[in-house]
Amino acid sequence: MRICVWNVNSARTRLDRMVEMLRRNDIDVLAVQETKCKDDQFPTAAFEELGYQVAHHGLNQWNGVAIISRVGLENIQAEFPGQPGFNKDPDATPALEARHIAATCGGVRVHSLYIPNGRDITDPHFEYKLEFLERLRQHIIATLDDDPEATFMMGGDFNIAPTDGDVWSMAAFAGKTHVTPPERAAFYALEQAGMKEVTRQFTPNQWTYWDYKAGRFFKDEGMRIDFQLASPDLAAKASAGFIDIEERQGKGASDHAPVIVDYEV
């Protein structure tokens, strides 16, 4: 089974590219982030014409996640248990955002995740990011406690570069999010909870994201912030993987590249 995670940075803007990427790479399941639309605005019909089923969770023009599968789509779930919300006003009720969707595809439970950006280390959104990751860790522990042989993948845009080698310049990120010790500790805590990051072994020294600003892509000034974390059972079945860097090129590209892994399931 070939599973891809991809922050498309607007599904409607990137529809033609999404369709072509599915065809070119023979994708079975695509976990999408930043669709930036409501459910009734998502271009479902275009994927159904290709033989895919679609599960989308979008509340407004921000965030938004989806799973596009040609190997089945069952037990669809939007928020994960304990998922926290966010509100700029600390006195207001935190609102749940469209940052997670899960479905069972051909026997594999696939989670599409768009982890909060954090914005700035002094911003309340940074604490929200850490809380989101902690609640996700608790969900992983509960899932594996219930079934140690559970076959599932949690993938998408984590907005964290876990090592210094995952950014083009640590100096450029001094005092900024994505590389701080608390964020990195939260990422590693997901692995300590039982998950294994499976993309790096197939794609050493590669980026998954290049900022639009300052011609970062053409200077090869990127980051690795998109991942697939697999449960022990699924991680053992990971056999190959690659980053479709070609998809980051040309007019109208997302600032993220698709990250693809083959599983022998």
Side-chain angles (χ1 to χ4, degrees):
M1 182 184 297
R2 176 164 284 184
I3 301 179
C4 173
V5 300
W6 188 16
N7 180 324
V8 298
N9 192 15
S10 177
R12 289 175 291 177
T13 300
R14 239 63 73 182
L15 176 58
D16 290 345
R17 280 181 168 270
M18 292 173 70
V19 167
E20 178 55 30
M21 194 283 297
L22 288 170
R23 287 173 170 162
R24 183 176 66 251
N25 292 317
D26 196 26
I27 302 299
D28 292 308
V29 183
L30 172 59
V32 187
Q33 300 81 50
E34 275 206 280
T35 61
K36 294 185 176 180
C37 62
K38 299 178 181 179
D39 290 345
D40 60 0
Q41 297 172 317
F42 190 80
T44 298
F47 301 106
E48 291 178 340
E49 290 177 3
L50 295 178
Y52 288 84
Q53 295 174 278
V54 175
H56 179 263
H57 178 42
L59 303 174
N60 47 44
Q61 74 272 32
W62 308 112
N63 310 312
V65 285
I67 296 173
I68 301 170
S69 170
R70 66 179 183 187
V71 292
L73 197 64
E74 301 175 341
N75 301 323
I76 300 166
Q77 178 185 18
E79 294 85 9
F80 63 86
Q83 179 177 326
F86 178 75
N87 199 307
K88 294 180 180 179
D89 182 353
D91 296 323
T93 302
L96 287 174
E97 298 180 316
R99 294 185 175 275
H100 169 275
I101 191 169
T104 301
C105 308
V108 177
R109 188 73 174 164
V110 175
H111 298 253
S112 180
L113 286 161
Y114 179 43
I115 305 300
N117 177 283
R119 299 178 185 172
D120 185 89
I121 57 176
T122 61
D123 193 290
H125 208 260
F126 185 76
E127 294 303 321
Y128 167 51
K129 179 179 191 175
L130 297 179
E131 182 183 7
F132 192 100
L133 289 160
E134 170 57 21
R135 297 288 184 87
L136 187 63
R137 184 190 71 86
Q138 293 173 10
H139 178 49
I140 291 169
I141 291 173
T143 300
L144 290 174
D145 281 349
D146 184 61
D147 180 9
E149 302 301 318
T151 303
F152 64 100
M153 186 282 296
M154 291 187 166
D157 179 358
F158 282 78
N159 273 312
I160 299 172
T163 74
D164 289 357
D166 291 330
V167 294
W168 66 273
S169 167
M170 280 298 294
F173 284 86
K176 298 181 181 179
T177 62
H178 290 57
V179 300
T180 66
E183 291 168 287
R184 288 178 169 179
F187 184 90
Y188 288 127
L190 302 180
E191 295 185 295
Q192 292 166 353
M195 306 298 283
K196 179 181 179 181
E197 202 295 300
V198 295
T199 71
R200 190 185 298 276
Q201 61 186 319
F202 304 118
T203 59
N205 305 314
Q206 295 185 42
W207 313 128
T208 67
Y209 165 85
W210 299 257
D211 198 317
Y212 289 129
K213 300 175 183 177
R216 297 288 187 214
F217 180 72
F218 302 102
K219 298 176 183 177
D220 196 31
E221 296 177 348
M223 305 174 66
R224 182 190 287 265
I225 58 175
D226 304 87
F227 301 95
Q228 294 192 32
L229 274 63
S231 64
D233 179 74
L234 185 61
K237 297 178 172 68
S239 59
F242 62 98
I243 298 169
D244 184 4
I245 296 175
E246 178 183 343
E247 188 53 55
R248 179 59 180 83
Q249 303 181 57
K251 183 179 180 180
S254 170
D255 43 3
H256 295 252
V259 180
I260 299 164
V261 176
D262 291 336
Y263 299 94
E264 300 298 326
V265 296

